[in-house]
Each structure stands twice: as structure tokens, then as C-alpha cells.
Amino acid sequence: MATMMKAAVFVEKNRIEVVDKPIPDVGPNDALIRITTTTICGTDVHILKGEYPVAKGLTVGHEPVGVIEKLGSAVQGYSEGQRVIAGAICPNFNSYAAQDGAPSQDGSYLIPQGLCGCHGFKATAGWRFGNLIDGTQAEYVLVPDAQANLAPIPDGLTDEQVLMCPDIMSTGFKGAENANIRIGDTVVVFAQGPIGLCATAGARLLGASTIIAVDGNDHRLGIARKMGADLTLNFRNCDVVDEIMKITGGRGVDASIEALGTQTTFESALRVLKPGGTLSSLGVYSSDLTIPLGAFAAGLGDHRIVTALCPGGKERMRRLMNVVASGRIDLGLMVTHQFKLDDIVAAYELFANQRDGVLKVAIKP
């Protein structure tokens, strides 16, 4: 077996390059996965732009689909050559946070003030790939705590069909789950990028009867309808808050899901919320948020604002792949472009600038 591999690493702000790195050694609880397909996430773009701090030289990426190349001596129930995925969040399930029902926050810590150009914020140590350890935009990735995090891919499913499960699908569905959606609810999803589209699909699966999708791109709004949206609003053509209040007869929506991470989308999601409604926030924010007094009812509106990081672990991945295998959702529609790993810099340029109708790119080592 070769000793070196190609990997896309963070060099400095606005610079990610493909370099040669040693193939990782496998510890007793690890698994070495040969990557067959991975992708670029919006969070990776935050890393590229220097908005989220990672170590220089770190391999980026956190969405692995691949084949087990080598298993650690303590890992049971898997076999070399088996097709698997692992969640973008790969907790060890031993921490206080994990045992308190928040495994995605496994070992969270605070980045000191000034290190990232902000006032300090929580970095989630459950998110290890491309954050605390080398990630998946490489020929190989080492999966820690493999027995808790590897999920076998059901026969008959392609890489592209399960590529969204490690992060995008898990995150979008968690946004819908956190929104306390009940059968017959009216739900609005702000932003129809990959996560927003999955939130739209999740809202449909949970029983929402009226789903309003908001975006500024008509192509994405068209895909949102295929994912389950009943109504679409292009914010370039209307006052979205006014339109949603008209649609709901002035009552407001039962739940709003924010899937971008900007002041504008967060504030709009709050303004259209009914008293007692839930705002489910999925966006990664790169600056402070301001909560408008009126929309927040001065803190007296019984509103719930809930944030989320995508759940990981093999049971979460199993459930998501079951949904895909059932035919209830087709996320292959979201894979719009393919690149070789050698061409990942061009893939970043395309994805970061949202050109050519890109939703997600498949990176093939």
C-alpha cells in the first residue's frame, strides 16, 4: 500500500491547495476509509474565507463516502472492502454533552476572543473532520471511534444518493425536527441552498401541509417544489414578510427555518412567526445578530429560537439512508457538478461564487 496521498488543505485565507500528505496510521478504535466521493460544504467556504478558524495545513471537508481500507483491532461488526459513510459530526459518545443528549456538542470549547476576529464562540468538538482533525477532501480519511460512527451503505444506493446524508440531509432534517412541526402546520424555509432544500423536504415528511420556500434564485425555487414546497417566494420580486403574513391571514407561520446565516434571513424568520411559534436556526453566522424588539414581542411572545448542529453517529446515518432507500426523497437532484480531487480549487471557485446553477459538487479522488 502507498504511504502518501493527495489532500486539499487550508493554506491561508482564500487559499486551499492539493498537496501530498502521509496516509494516516490506524489506531485500535479507528478505520481508514478510501474516499470514493466527497463534496464541498458552505462551512468549507467559511474556512476558505478565514471566517472560521482552522489550523494551517489541515485537510478540509467533512462529508465522506467510501470503502473501508483498514480497520482498527478493536472495531467489530465491519469488514474491509465494505462501502460506508460516516457523519460529518463524529462524536465518541463518552462526553458529558453526549450523555446529556447533545452528542453533536461532544467536548465543545470556546475559541478565545480575538483568535477568529470575533468575541469568541463555541467550536463544536463533535465536529472533528476538517475542524480539529484532517478531513475528507483527500484520497483517505481516518475515522475516529469508528464503531460508533461508520454506517454501511445499503445495497443499490449510489454514492451520489447518500452523499448528502453525512451533513446536508442530517442538518436540514434536524432543522425541521427542531421546528416542532405538527401535521397541518404552515412552515417557511428561508434560503433554498442544499441545507434549506433538505429542511423543506424534512418539513414535508413531518406533516406540514403548507410549506413556503424563500430564495432569490428561481432555479432553486423550482427544485424546492420538487422537494415538497407548496409555495415559493423570490425575495427579489416581493416583500417576503408582507406576502407571508397575507398567506397566513395575518396569523403568522407555525414555524420558520433559517438556513443561510444572515441578519436579514434571521430577522425575517422572526417577523413572520406566530406567537408561540418556533424559529429553527441552521445558518452559520459570521457576525453578531440583532433581535428586533417588535418582532420579538419584547421577549413576551412565547417564541422559541432553537439552533442545531447536524446529528452524527451510525444510527442517525442509518435512518437517513433508510429514507433515501424508501424513495421518499431523491437528493441526487442536488449533485449538479462533478470534479476530480486534483481540480478541487476550481470546484471551490465555482461553489463559493454560486455559478452555473451549482447546488452541490461531487469530488472524486
Side-chain angles (χ1 to χ4, degrees), residues 2 7 47-49 51 53 110 134 154 156 161 185 193 199 207 215 233 237 243 248 280-281 284 329:
I47 290 171
L48 172 67
K49 293 179 178 179
E51 296 169 348
L110 279 172
D134 279 338
Q161 284 178 291
D185 271 356
D215 203 275
L233 297 175
N237 302 331
E243 286 297 317
T248 60
S280 177
S281 174
V284 178
I329 183 173

Side-chain angles (χ1 to χ4, degrees), residues 222-307:
I223 296 175
R225 285 189 175 272
K226 294 180 181 178
M227 291 290 177
D230 301 286
L231 303 169
T232 57
L233 297 175
N234 187 320
F235 65 76
R236 302 182 193 280
N237 302 331
C238 67
D239 184 315
V240 169
V241 172
D242 284 350
E243 286 297 317
I244 292 172
M245 296 311 289
K246 289 176 185 175
I247 290 167
T248 60
R251 190 180 69 92
V253 297
D254 298 288
S256 54
I257 302 173
E258 194 287 329
L260 184 60
T262 69
Q263 174 68 35
T264 299
T265 47
F266 179 87
E267 186 171 323
S268 295
L270 187 58
R271 290 190 182 280
V272 299
L273 199 59
K274 74 175 186 181
T278 300
L279 192 167
S280 177
S281 174
L282 294 175
V284 178
Y285 300 93
S286 54
S287 61
D288 290 345
L289 286 172
T290 300
I291 296 179
L293 184 68
F296 195 50
L300 303 176
D302 282 324
H303 297 118
R304 287 177 294 277
I305 298 176
V306 187
T307 64

Side-chain angles (χ1 to χ4, degrees), residues 84-96:
V84 291
I85 65 172
I89 307 301
C90 49
N92 64 25
F93 295 94
N94 292 325
S95 71
Y96 286 105

Side-chain angles (χ1 to χ4, degrees), residues 36-37 65-66 83-85 151-165 169 317-332 364:
T36 53
T37 308
V65 182
R83 292 178 68 224
V84 291
I85 65 172
I153 299 171
D155 292 340
L157 293 185
T158 66
D159 281 16
E160 284 73 19
Q161 284 178 291
V162 301
L163 181 58
M164 302 302 120
C165 295
M169 185 182 182
M317 296 300 107
R318 182 190 70 82
R319 287 175 174 271
L320 296 178
M321 287 191 290
N322 278 354
V323 175
V324 174
S326 74
R328 285 174 170 81
I329 183 173
D330 179 10
L331 299 181
K364 301 278 191 177

Side-chain angles (χ1 to χ4, degrees), residues 58-97:
L58 186 79
T59 303
V60 286
H62 50 262
E63 295 158 287
V65 182
V67 175
I68 298 174
E69 185 78 15
K70 188 175 180 180
L71 283 170
S73 58
V75 182
Q76 300 179 359
Y78 301 89
S79 59
E80 293 176 0
Q82 189 174 23
R83 292 178 68 224
V84 291
I85 65 172
I89 307 301
C90 49
N92 64 25
F93 295 94
N94 292 325
S95 71
Y96 286 105

